[in-house]
PDB file of all heavy atoms in Angstrom:
ATOM      1  N   VAL A 104      -1.789   9.923 -16.013  1.00 98.00           N
ATOM      2  CA  VAL A 104      -0.497   9.282 -16.162  1.00 98.00           C
ATOM      3  C   VAL A 104       0.608  10.199 -15.562  1.00 98.00           C
ATOM      4  O   VAL A 104       0.560  11.435 -15.676  1.00 98.00           O
ATOM      5  CB  VAL A 104      -0.175   9.060 -17.653  1.00 98.00           C
ATOM      6  CG1 VAL A 104       1.179   8.420 -17.881  1.00 98.00           C
ATOM      7  CG2 VAL A 104      -1.269   8.171 -18.312  1.00 98.00           C
ATOM      8  N   PHE A 105       1.547   9.570 -14.913  1.00 97.00           N
ATOM      9  CA  PHE A 105       2.717  10.275 -14.287  1.00 97.00           C
ATOM     10  C   PHE A 105       3.983   9.662 -14.771  1.00 97.00           C
ATOM     11  O   PHE A 105       4.044   8.428 -15.030  1.00 97.00           O
ATOM     12  CB  PHE A 105       2.655  10.161 -12.744  1.00 97.00           C
ATOM     13  CG  PHE A 105       1.457  10.782 -12.151  1.00 97.00           C
ATOM     14  CD1 PHE A 105       0.242  10.122 -12.129  1.00 97.00           C
ATOM     15  CD2 PHE A 105       1.477  12.102 -11.605  1.00 97.00           C
ATOM     16  CE1 PHE A 105      -0.893  10.710 -11.545  1.00 97.00           C
ATOM     17  CE2 PHE A 105       0.382  12.690 -11.022  1.00 97.00           C
ATOM     18  CZ  PHE A 105      -0.812  11.964 -10.994  1.00 97.00           C
ATOM     19  N   ALA A 106       4.986  10.489 -14.959  1.00 96.00           N
ATOM     20  CA  ALA A 106       6.306  10.041 -15.355  1.00 96.00           C
ATOM     21  C   ALA A 106       7.271  10.361 -14.225  1.00 96.00           C
ATOM     22  O   ALA A 106       7.472  11.528 -13.887  1.00 96.00           O
ATOM     23  CB  ALA A 106       6.779  10.700 -16.628  1.00 96.00           C
ATOM     24  N   LEU A 107       7.736   9.352 -13.508  1.00 96.00           N
ATOM     25  CA  LEU A 107       8.601   9.536 -12.324  1.00 96.00           C
ATOM     26  C   LEU A 107      10.032   9.188 -12.715  1.00 96.00           C
ATOM     27  O   LEU A 107      10.314   8.046 -13.126  1.00 96.00           O
ATOM     28  CB  LEU A 107       8.153   8.684 -11.173  1.00 96.00           C
ATOM     29  CG  LEU A 107       6.678   8.733 -10.781  1.00 96.00           C
ATOM     30  CD1 LEU A 107       6.463   7.982  -9.457  1.00 96.00           C
ATOM     31  CD2 LEU A 107       6.193  10.217 -10.653  1.00 96.00           C
ATOM     32  N   LYS A 108      10.935  10.126 -12.667  1.00 96.00           N
ATOM     33  CA  LYS A 108      12.341   9.911 -13.016  1.00 96.00           C
ATOM     34  C   LYS A 108      13.151   9.572 -11.810  1.00 96.00           C
ATOM     35  O   LYS A 108      13.040  10.276 -10.768  1.00 96.00           O
ATOM     36  CB  LYS A 108      12.898  11.184 -13.667  1.00 96.00           C
ATOM     37  CG  LYS A 108      12.225  11.521 -15.010  1.00 96.00           C
ATOM     38  CD  LYS A 108      13.006  10.867 -16.158  1.00 96.00           C
ATOM     39  CE  LYS A 108      12.334  11.071 -17.518  1.00 96.00           C
ATOM     40  NZ  LYS A 108      11.791   9.833 -18.069  1.00 96.00           N
ATOM     41  N   ALA A 109      13.977   8.553 -11.932  1.00 95.00           N
ATOM     42  CA  ALA A 109      14.823   8.132 -10.782  1.00 95.00           C
ATOM     43  C   ALA A 109      15.663   9.354 -10.332  1.00 95.00           C
ATOM     44  O   ALA A 109      16.204  10.085 -11.145  1.00 95.00           O
ATOM     45  CB  ALA A 109      15.744   7.013 -11.227  1.00 95.00           C
ATOM     46  N   GLY A 110      15.756   9.499  -9.032  1.00 91.00           N
ATOM     47  CA  GLY A 110      16.562  10.585  -8.489  1.00 91.00           C
ATOM     48  C   GLY A 110      15.912  11.945  -8.483  1.00 91.00           C
ATOM     49  O   GLY A 110      16.455  12.936  -7.948  1.00 91.00           O
ATOM     50  N   GLU A 111      14.728  12.035  -9.098  1.00 91.00           N
ATOM     51  CA  GLU A 111      13.988  13.337  -9.087  1.00 91.00           C
ATOM     52  C   GLU A 111      12.778  13.125  -8.211  1.00 91.00           C
ATOM     53  O   GLU A 111      11.978  12.256  -8.415  1.00 91.00           O
ATOM     54  CB  GLU A 111      13.528  13.741 -10.487  1.00 91.00           C
ATOM     55  CG  GLU A 111      14.690  14.089 -11.379  1.00 91.00           C
ATOM     56  CD  GLU A 111      14.284  14.504 -12.828  1.00 91.00           C
ATOM     57  OE1 GLU A 111      13.086  14.792 -12.992  1.00 91.00           O
ATOM     58  OE2 GLU A 111      15.123  14.484 -13.692  1.00 91.00           O
ATOM     59  N   ALA A 112      12.671  14.048  -7.246  1.00 87.00           N
ATOM     60  CA  ALA A 112      11.549  13.926  -6.293  1.00 87.00           C
ATOM     61  C   ALA A 112      10.191  14.267  -6.917  1.00 87.00           C
ATOM     62  O   ALA A 112       9.156  13.836  -6.460  1.00 87.00           O
ATOM     63  CB  ALA A 112      11.801  14.800  -5.092  1.00 87.00           C
ATOM     64  N   ALA A 113      10.232  15.035  -8.010  1.00 85.00           N
ATOM     65  CA  ALA A 113       8.953  15.508  -8.578  1.00 85.00           C
ATOM     66  C   ALA A 113       8.066  14.378  -9.031  1.00 85.00           C
ATOM     67  O   ALA A 113       8.547  13.359  -9.554  1.00 85.00           O
ATOM     68  CB  ALA A 113       9.273  16.379  -9.784  1.00 85.00           C
ATOM     69  N   LEU A 114       6.797  14.547  -8.721  1.00 88.00           N
ATOM     70  CA  LEU A 114       5.770  13.545  -9.096  1.00 88.00           C
ATOM     71  C   LEU A 114       4.981  14.163 -10.259  1.00 88.00           C
ATOM     72  O   LEU A 114       3.871  14.669 -10.037  1.00 88.00           O
ATOM     73  CB  LEU A 114       4.959  13.183  -7.924  1.00 88.00           C
ATOM     74  CG  LEU A 114       5.697  12.710  -6.667  1.00 88.00           C
ATOM     75  CD1 LEU A 114       4.820  12.597  -5.455  1.00 88.00           C
ATOM     76  CD2 LEU A 114       6.393  11.363  -6.926  1.00 88.00           C
ATOM     77  N   ALA A 115       5.655  14.185 -11.421  1.00 86.00           N
ATOM     78  CA  ALA A 115       5.104  15.025 -12.503  1.00 86.00           C
ATOM     79  C   ALA A 115       4.070  14.292 -13.344  1.00 86.00           C
ATOM     80  O   ALA A 115       4.298  13.105 -13.724  1.00 86.00           O
ATOM     81  CB  ALA A 115       6.281  15.491 -13.357  1.00 86.00           C
ATOM     82  N   ARG A 116       2.986  14.957 -13.618  1.00 95.00           N
ATOM     83  CA  ARG A 116       1.973  14.392 -14.451  1.00 95.00           C
ATOM     84  C   ARG A 116       2.395  14.422 -15.890  1.00 95.00           C
ATOM     85  O   ARG A 116       2.948  15.475 -16.374  1.00 95.00           O
ATOM     86  CB  ARG A 116       0.623  15.143 -14.259  1.00 95.00           C
ATOM     87  CG  ARG A 116      -0.498  14.540 -14.994  1.00 95.00           C
ATOM     88  CD  ARG A 116      -1.824  14.915 -14.383  1.00 95.00           C
ATOM     89  NE  ARG A 116      -2.944  14.486 -15.180  1.00 95.00           N
ATOM     90  CZ  ARG A 116      -4.201  14.747 -14.908  1.00 95.00           C
ATOM     91  NH1 ARG A 116      -4.512  15.464 -13.807  1.00 95.00           N
ATOM     92  NH2 ARG A 116      -5.193  14.295 -15.698  1.00 95.00           N
ATOM     93  N   ALA A 117       2.160  13.403 -16.639  1.00 93.00           N
ATOM     94  CA  ALA A 117       2.451  13.342 -18.099  1.00 93.00           C
ATOM     95  C   ALA A 117       1.191  13.718 -18.862  1.00 93.00           C
ATOM     96  O   ALA A 117       0.120  13.719 -18.321  1.00 93.00           O
ATOM     97  CB  ALA A 117       2.922  11.962 -18.434  1.00 93.00           C
ATOM     98  N   PRO A 118       1.358  14.038 -20.162  1.00 93.00           N
ATOM     99  CA  PRO A 118       0.161  14.354 -20.963  1.00 93.00           C
ATOM    100  C   PRO A 118      -0.800  13.169 -20.921  1.00 93.00           C
ATOM    101  O   PRO A 118      -0.415  12.012 -20.871  1.00 93.00           O
ATOM    102  CB  PRO A 118       0.735  14.550 -22.394  1.00 93.00           C
ATOM    103  CG  PRO A 118       2.145  14.891 -22.134  1.00 93.00           C
ATOM    104  CD  PRO A 118       2.600  14.171 -20.912  1.00 93.00           C
ATOM    105  N   ASP A 119      -2.097  13.502 -20.945  1.00 93.00           N
ATOM    106  CA  ASP A 119      -3.097  12.454 -20.937  1.00 93.00           C
ATOM    107  C   ASP A 119      -2.911  11.523 -22.145  1.00 93.00           C
ATOM    108  O   ASP A 119      -2.528  11.969 -23.267  1.00 93.00           O
ATOM    109  CB  ASP A 119      -4.514  13.084 -21.023  1.00 93.00           C
ATOM    110  CG  ASP A 119      -4.868  13.797 -19.713  1.00 93.00           C
ATOM    111  OD1 ASP A 119      -4.392  13.358 -18.658  1.00 93.00           O
ATOM    112  OD2 ASP A 119      -5.662  14.763 -19.782  1.00 93.00           O
ATOM    113  N   GLN A 120      -3.157  10.278 -21.929  1.00 93.00           N
ATOM    114  CA  GLN A 120      -3.010   9.291 -23.004  1.00 93.00           C
ATOM    115  C   GLN A 120      -3.972   8.171 -22.729  1.00 93.00           C
ATOM    116  O   GLN A 120      -4.487   8.033 -21.597  1.00 93.00           O
ATOM    117  CB  GLN A 120      -1.578   8.769 -23.074  1.00 93.00           C
ATOM    118  CG  GLN A 120      -1.026   8.291 -21.756  1.00 93.00           C
ATOM    119  CD  GLN A 120       0.455   7.983 -21.794  1.00 93.00           C
ATOM    120  OE1 GLN A 120       0.847   6.861 -22.109  1.00 93.00           O
ATOM    121  NE2 GLN A 120       1.237   9.041 -21.481  1.00 93.00           N
ATOM    122  N   PRO A 121      -4.265   7.324 -23.738  1.00 93.00           N
ATOM    123  CA  PRO A 121      -5.230   6.274 -23.485  1.00 93.00           C
ATOM    124  C   PRO A 121      -4.607   5.179 -22.614  1.00 93.00           C
ATOM    125  O   PRO A 121      -3.424   5.021 -22.516  1.00 93.00           O
ATOM    126  CB  PRO A 121      -5.510   5.762 -24.909  1.00 93.00           C
ATOM    127  CG  PRO A 121      -4.382   6.151 -25.725  1.00 93.00           C
ATOM    128  CD  PRO A 121      -3.834   7.394 -25.115  1.00 93.00           C
ATOM    129  N   HIS A 122      -5.518   4.460 -21.990  1.00 93.00           N
ATOM    130  CA  HIS A 122      -5.102   3.280 -21.233  1.00 93.00           C
ATOM    131  C   HIS A 122      -5.156   2.073 -22.114  1.00 93.00           C
ATOM    132  O   HIS A 122      -6.127   1.921 -22.836  1.00 93.00           O
ATOM    133  CB  HIS A 122      -6.097   3.135 -20.031  1.00 93.00           C
ATOM    134  CG  HIS A 122      -5.845   1.938 -19.175  1.00 93.00           C
ATOM    135  ND1 HIS A 122      -4.638   1.633 -18.561  1.00 93.00           N
ATOM    136  CD2 HIS A 122      -6.702   0.895 -18.880  1.00 93.00           C
ATOM    137  CE1 HIS A 122      -4.794   0.488 -17.914  1.00 93.00           C
ATOM    138  NE2 HIS A 122      -5.996   0.049 -18.094  1.00 93.00           N
ATOM    139  N   TYR A 123      -4.087   1.310 -22.143  1.00 92.00           N
ATOM    140  CA  TYR A 123      -4.053   0.144 -23.023  1.00 92.00           C
ATOM    141  C   TYR A 123      -3.613  -1.115 -22.222  1.00 92.00           C
ATOM    142  O   TYR A 123      -2.583  -1.067 -21.511  1.00 92.00           O
ATOM    143  CB  TYR A 123      -3.093   0.377 -24.172  1.00 92.00           C
ATOM    144  CG  TYR A 123      -3.089  -0.772 -25.205  1.00 92.00           C
ATOM    145  CD1 TYR A 123      -4.053  -0.910 -26.139  1.00 92.00           C
ATOM    146  CD2 TYR A 123      -2.108  -1.774 -25.103  1.00 92.00           C
ATOM    147  CE1 TYR A 123      -4.058  -1.937 -27.074  1.00 92.00           C
ATOM    148  CE2 TYR A 123      -2.111  -2.867 -25.958  1.00 92.00           C
ATOM    149  CZ  TYR A 123      -3.105  -2.927 -26.944  1.00 92.00           C
ATOM    150  OH  TYR A 123      -3.113  -4.002 -27.840  1.00 92.00           O
ATOM    151  N   GLN A 124      -4.368  -2.165 -22.374  1.00 90.00           N
ATOM    152  CA  GLN A 124      -3.937  -3.496 -21.850  1.00 90.00           C
ATOM    153  C   GLN A 124      -4.002  -4.476 -22.957  1.00 90.00           C
ATOM    154  O   GLN A 124      -4.907  -4.491 -23.749  1.00 90.00           O
ATOM    155  CB  GLN A 124      -4.883  -3.935 -20.712  1.00 90.00           C
ATOM    156  CG  GLN A 124      -4.754  -3.147 -19.412  1.00 90.00           C
ATOM    157  CD  GLN A 124      -5.760  -3.695 -18.398  1.00 90.00           C
ATOM    158  OE1 GLN A 124      -6.947  -3.443 -18.572  1.00 90.00           O
ATOM    159  NE2 GLN A 124      -5.277  -4.382 -17.387  1.00 90.00           N
ATOM    160  N   GLU A 125      -2.952  -5.345 -23.015  1.00 90.00           N
ATOM    161  CA  GLU A 125      -3.000  -6.392 -23.975  1.00 90.00           C
ATOM    162  C   GLU A 125      -4.211  -7.342 -23.665  1.00 90.00           C
ATOM    163  O   GLU A 125      -4.599  -7.471 -22.523  1.00 90.00           O
ATOM    164  CB  GLU A 125      -1.756  -7.268 -23.855  1.00 90.00           C
ATOM    165  CG  GLU A 125      -0.428  -6.540 -24.151  1.00 90.00           C
ATOM    166  CD  GLU A 125      -0.245  -6.214 -25.640  1.00 90.00           C
ATOM    167  OE1 GLU A 125      -1.010  -6.819 -26.480  1.00 90.00           O
ATOM    168  OE2 GLU A 125       0.613  -5.376 -25.964  1.00 90.00           O
TER     169      GLU A 125
END
Side-chain angles (χ1 to χ4, degrees):
V104 178
F105 297 80
L107 310 188
K108 294 269 174 247
E111 292 179 17
L114 305 170
R116 186 157 172 183
D119 290 331
Q120 53 189 267
H122 175 56
Y123 183 82
Q124 286 178 290
E125 298 288 346

